[in-house]
Amino acid sequence: MLGQFAADSSASVQSVCKRLAHTGEAACRSTSAEMVIFIWKNLLQTTKERILQQRRMSVYSQAHGYEEELIKKKLQQFAGGSINLTKEDNGIGILTLNNPKSMNAFTGTMMLELQEKVTELENWKDGKGLIIYGAGNTFCSGSDLNVVKAMSKFQDGMNMCMFMQNTLTRLMRLPLISVALVQGKAIGGGAELTTACDFRLMTPGSEIRFVHKLMGLVPGWGGGARLVRIVGSRAALQLLSGATRVDTERALHLGLSEETLSSSDEAGALEEARAWLSQYTEGPVSVIRAAKEVVAGGRELPLEAALRTEKDIFGTLWGGPANLQALARSLKHK
Ligand SMILES: C[C@@H](C(=O)O)C(=O)SCCNC(=O)CCNC(=O)[C@H](O)C(C)(C)COP(=O)(O)OP(=O)(O)OC[C@H]1O[C@@H](n2cnc3c(N)ncnc32)[C@H](O)[C@@H]1OP(=O)(O)O
């Protein structure tokens, strides 16, 4: 957390320095006390803008009775595993769920780390794509059952639900084309996490299963609402009320998975997933990110709002470098 704050603050300082460079002349005339106040004001403003942007991307705030600091403190008590992020030069991020002794079940600290990594991805301006996969040849078995048992009080459950919905909604809204690489099992919250990605790729023998009914529950990480949008309400109702095991064949049939990969091992499957994703991430960063943003708007907003969003995003590209270069090349799309 502190590390992230330091990184964010340093990014903010850099951005303030850039602004200072632009207004260098005026700043030079200031006394040093005025300079300090100026830097602090800018730093505060940048931090405020970042927090506001995160709120806009989230679903719940204090107004909904959501107590973020309280739930963060509680989650901190359940340590274990990690969420790792590597950002490759080709603009593809690799997010690893790493708790193989529990089939990558989410401990409390993993939930917190996921939120931190999503923030990091929101600030990654060169990113185009994201692959999420689990360590040890399996995707994720949902919440750590020890956490579920310890958080059985109503308000804890509600806060954890809102925490995970906020994080997964921000993940879904990233301007990156995202893929869940499902090896082994994606169970409960693990199945829900796959629905926060734009695409799912499965390896032979893997399965996605919403087991919530068997626990006397329904999805709470937003996986129910997203599943309806992916497979339609009839199939979603069958998968939830039947706690149905969705194998690779059924997932393809339902449109839940794009493709069954040929490799079962981690390295091979990751390589295949990278190759699959690169079909869509090749090209200028601004254009790929804009394509995802247009689709995200179309997926979530009422038509008029989506159209206006599309216009705004179009406006960021029209007459821009990628557009002018393409025009100069007089391309024919044969
Ligand atoms: C409510 C919902 C949500 O929050 O929205 C949730 O996600 S609740 C969580 C929903 N998920 C579940 O209920 C999954 C419960 N687990 C299972 O059904 C099973 O473990 C499978 C995931 C199908 C794997 O079975 P398999 O026979 O292949 O392996 P296994 O059972 O020996 O599991 C390997 C080790 O991982 C642990 N393990 C597996 N899933 C776990 C989980 N969710 N929390 C904590 N530990 C877990 C097992 O206890 C075992 O540890 P030891 O070797 O030490 O014994």
Side-chain angles (χ1 to χ4, degrees), residues 99-107 111 138 140-149 160-161 164 185-192 207 209-212 214-215 217-222 245:
N99 189 16
K101 71 173 174 30
S102 305
M103 304 199 69
N104 302 322
F106 266 89
T107 61
M111 292 182 193
T138 194
C140 171
S141 62
S143 300
D144 183 323
L145 291 170
N146 300 312
V147 179
V148 174
K149 281 177 204 152
M160 189 163 62
C161 162
M164 287 306 286
K185 294 182 195 320
I187 297 216
E192 295 194 62
E207 66 178 55
R209 191 173 183 197
F210 293 83
V211 294
H212 306 77
L214 306 176
M215 305 185 65
L217 290 171
V218 289
W221 294 3
R245 213 181 282 278

Side-chain angles (χ1 to χ4, degrees), residues 43-245:
L43 194 60
L44 276 178
Q45 185 60 25
T46 315
T47 310
K48 231 162 86 183
E49 279 166 19
R50 186 168 50 79
I51 292 170
L52 273 176
Q53 157 148 4
Q54 282 176 11
R55 285 215 191 116
R56 272 198 300 277
M57 294 297 190
S58 301
V59 182
Y60 303 105
S61 64
Q62 270 180 341
H64 304 94
Y66 173 49
E67 299 158 297
E68 177 156 297
E69 289 316 311
L70 194 75
I71 188 65
K72 280 176 138 180
K73 237 184 234 165
K74 292 217 167 161
L75 291 173
Q76 197 68 54
Q77 294 164 17
F78 304 98
S82 63
I83 305 286
N84 308 109
L85 174 65
T86 51
K87 292 181 277 190
E88 299 182 345
D89 291 344
N90 56 5
I92 293 185
I94 310 281
L95 192 81
T96 313
L97 316 173
N98 188 22
N99 189 16
K101 71 173 174 30
S102 305
M103 304 199 69
N104 302 322
F106 266 89
T107 61
T109 50
M110 284 170 72
M111 292 182 193
L112 294 171
E113 281 184 35
L114 181 66
Q115 188 198 47
E116 287 170 15
K117 301 302 178 198
V118 168
T119 303
E120 193 177 337
L121 288 166
E122 283 170 344
N123 293 325
W124 186 32
K125 303 300 175 214
D126 300 325
K128 301 192 215 176
L130 178 69
I131 298 173
I132 304 183
Y133 83 105
N137 291 312
T138 194
F139 189 75
C140 171
S141 62
S143 300
D144 183 323
L145 291 170
N146 300 312
V147 179
V148 174
K149 281 177 204 152
M151 302 275 258
S152 60
K153 275 198 200 134
F154 176 77
Q155 201 50 45
D156 286 342
M158 287 296 96
N159 275 326
M160 189 163 62
C161 162
M162 290 189 270
F163 180 87
M164 287 306 286
Q165 279 200 17
N166 272 355
T167 303
L168 295 187
T169 302
R170 286 170 54 198
L171 173 68
M172 178 181 75
R173 291 175 175 169
L174 285 172
L176 307 172
I177 302 177
S178 56
V179 176
L181 167 56
V182 181
Q183 288 181 276
K185 294 182 195 320
I187 297 216
E192 295 194 62
L193 172 57
T194 72
T195 64
C197 293
D198 299 310
F199 302 106
R200 285 141 294 280
L201 296 172
M202 294 173 76
T203 61
S206 62
E207 66 178 55
I208 298 175
R209 191 173 183 197
F210 293 83
V211 294
H212 306 77
K213 167 196 163 175
L214 306 176
M215 305 185 65
L217 290 171
V218 289
W221 294 3
R226 291 188 298 267
L227 185 65
V228 170
R229 282 160 175 75
I230 297 168
V231 300
S233 61
R234 284 161 48 235
L237 188 54
Q238 287 174 333
L239 299 192
L240 298 191
S241 60
T244 315
R245 213 181 282 278

